[in-house]
Amino acid sequence: MAEHISYADAGVDVDEGARAVDLIRDAVASTDRPGVMEGLGGFGCLFDVSYLKGLERPVLVSGTDGVGTKLALAQRLGRHDTVGEDLVAMCADDVVVTGAQPLFFLDYIAVGKLQPEAVAEVVQGIAAGCREAGCALIGGEMAEHPGVMAPTDYDLAGFCVGAVDAPAMLGANRVREGDVILGLPSSGIHSNGYSLVRAAVTDRLTDEQLTEPRGDLGGESLADALLRPTRIYAGAVVRALEDGAPIHALAHITGGGITENLNRVLPSDLDALVDAGDGTTPPWEVPPIIDFVIDAASLTPEEAYKTLNMGVGMAVVCDPDDVDQVSEAFDAEGLEPFLIGEVVSGTGTVRYR
């Protein structure tokens, strides 16, 4: 007779999966918004978009992303409460740059061995991010991968869908020579560049060194500074646009830094001329953790602006006559925009002065 091997024996415990769902149920419900038709438990997630009939030409905007190798640090230190916010930020802020309102969000969590409490921490972070972005967490998937992933490993993917009226869409077609470029402050490194961070910083330090307060970080530990969640701009952007802020384009500064993201909202005959200060220190405030990583990795200015966000989480392009109105809209959200450059004649690239 063949040996009896249960699914749990093979490494997948469906009872623990059910317990994990119970632990996240309240967090998911806290993101409810108009349009949500069904909670957890269905095979498909339902969202009523009948309000789109009121738009002249409704367009759905979707985005998907992950958190990258920042997860390795979170797993190493056993801190799972912030990476969910990172996941929402990476997806919702890609969607909102078109002027779209994020509507709903789904997550995919792959684990080596399901640990319901850790998963609940992650999902609570996702729910917090969704509340900040104004979208509903309407579903997702938890999958155990025994033998493929180490028991304590997990990976995250997120999926966000939003909607915008085509005549109101933001983008390169609205950008004009002479436009001003404002920056919205980042909260730190956000969720890009962590392979460099690990190679230059965390892989060289003990857990004790990572968690001790540091004077060069204003008394903060490296662990706290590096795991600070990505700032979410989507909710603030949607409210600013609803209040009539005349924005031409938005650029989410993620992987590739300012150099490889600001150019994505430029026409082919215009450049972004960014003020880089003395080359290594821009004329706006940069979070200390970014300067720390630049020094630890001995990055050149060119490398820094092409790898890290340099204190700019979102770039806002507008007419120079509208700077005060746009700035006031974001000031009301506690974001305090600052001038980073202007749009000039060129070939669709980012240049520094």
Side-chain angles (χ1 to χ4, degrees):
M1 177 180 291
E3 177 187 2
H4 172 261
I5 303 175
S6 69
Y7 206 8
D9 292 333
V12 178
D13 193 329
V14 293
D15 292 333
E16 286 293 85
R19 190 162 75 87
V21 171
D22 287 339
L23 288 174
I24 67 174
R25 198 174 297 278
D26 289 345
V28 173
S30 73
T31 70
D32 201 17
R33 58 156 290 158
V36 176
M37 296 178 62
E38 185 175 294
L40 293 180
F43 288 101
C45 304
L46 308 180
F47 193 91
D48 182 0
V49 292
S50 58
Y51 88 94
L52 295 179
K53 295 177 182 178
L55 303 182
E56 178 181 335
R57 185 182 163 202
V59 176
L60 293 178
V61 184
S62 60
T64 183
D65 210 335
V67 181
T69 59
K70 187 176 186 177
L71 289 176
L73 182 60
Q75 292 163 15
R76 172 180 169 181
L77 297 176
R79 299 188 182 185
H80 315 293
D81 57 337
T82 61
V83 290
E85 293 179 63
D86 291 310
L87 185 66
V88 176
M90 297 302 291
C91 300
D93 284 345
D94 275 357
V95 166
V96 82
V97 298
T98 63
Q101 179 183 16
L103 299 176
F104 58 85
F105 190 90
L106 296 96
D107 61 63
Y108 178 83
I109 305 175
V111 301
K113 173 67 176 176
L114 187 59
Q115 302 175 47
E117 287 77 11
V119 169
E121 285 187 54
V122 173
V123 176
Q124 285 162 7
I126 294 172
C130 285
R131 292 193 298 270
E132 181 71 21
C135 58
L137 176 57
I138 62 171
E141 171 71 5
M142 289 180 287
E144 281 189 281
H145 292 168
V148 176
M149 303 173 69
T152 58
D153 282 352
Y154 62 85
D155 197 9
L156 306 177
F159 313 86
C160 186
V161 174
V164 63
D165 201 353
M169 285 182 65
L170 309 180
N173 62 304
R174 291 175 175 255
V175 176
R176 301 289 182 265
E177 184 174 357
D179 277 356
V180 168
I181 307 169
L182 303 175
L184 301 183
S186 69
S187 58
I189 295 182
H190 285 183
S191 297
N192 300 101
Y194 276 83
S195 294
L196 172 68
V197 168
R198 291 167 58 215
V201 181
T202 62
D203 287 354
R204 303 183 180 191
L205 300 176
T206 65
D207 290 358
E208 182 179 355
Q209 290 171 318
L210 287 173
T211 55
E212 64 186 7
R214 300 183 60 101
D216 51 0
L217 295 178
E220 191 174 35
S221 71
L222 275 167
D224 288 341
L226 290 171
L227 288 176
R228 186 181 297 115
T230 304
R231 176 166 273 163
I232 297 173
Y233 303 95
V237 168
V238 168
R239 288 186 291 272
L241 292 172
E242 288 176 343
D243 288 342
I247 296 170
H248 290 173
L250 295 162
H252 187 197
I253 309 303
T254 55
I258 295 174
T259 304
E260 296 294 338
N261 285 286
L262 187 50
N263 63 338
R264 296 164 71 177
V265 295
L266 294 174
S268 60
D269 60 344
L270 296 177
D271 283 356
L273 186 59
V274 175
D275 192 347
D278 65 3
T280 56
T281 305
W284 57 83
E285 185 176 353
V286 176
I289 187 61
I290 292 180
D291 286 330
F292 183 95
V293 171
I294 290 172
D295 291 341
S298 297
L299 295 183
T300 65
E302 180 182 5
E303 290 172 326
Y305 281 94
K306 199 173 182 178
T307 306
L308 304 172
N309 64 57
M310 299 303 289
V312 180
M314 184 79 76
V316 183
V317 184
C318 66
D319 188 281
D321 292 336
D322 297 326
V323 168
D324 288 345
Q325 183 180 352
V326 172
S327 295
E328 288 171 5
F330 286 111
D331 282 337
E333 298 289 337
L335 288 173
E336 299 183 4
F338 45 86
L339 181 66
I340 68 171
E342 61 183 319
V343 177
V344 299
S345 179
T347 58
T349 62
V350 176
R351 295 188 278 126
Y352 297 93
R353 63 182 173 192

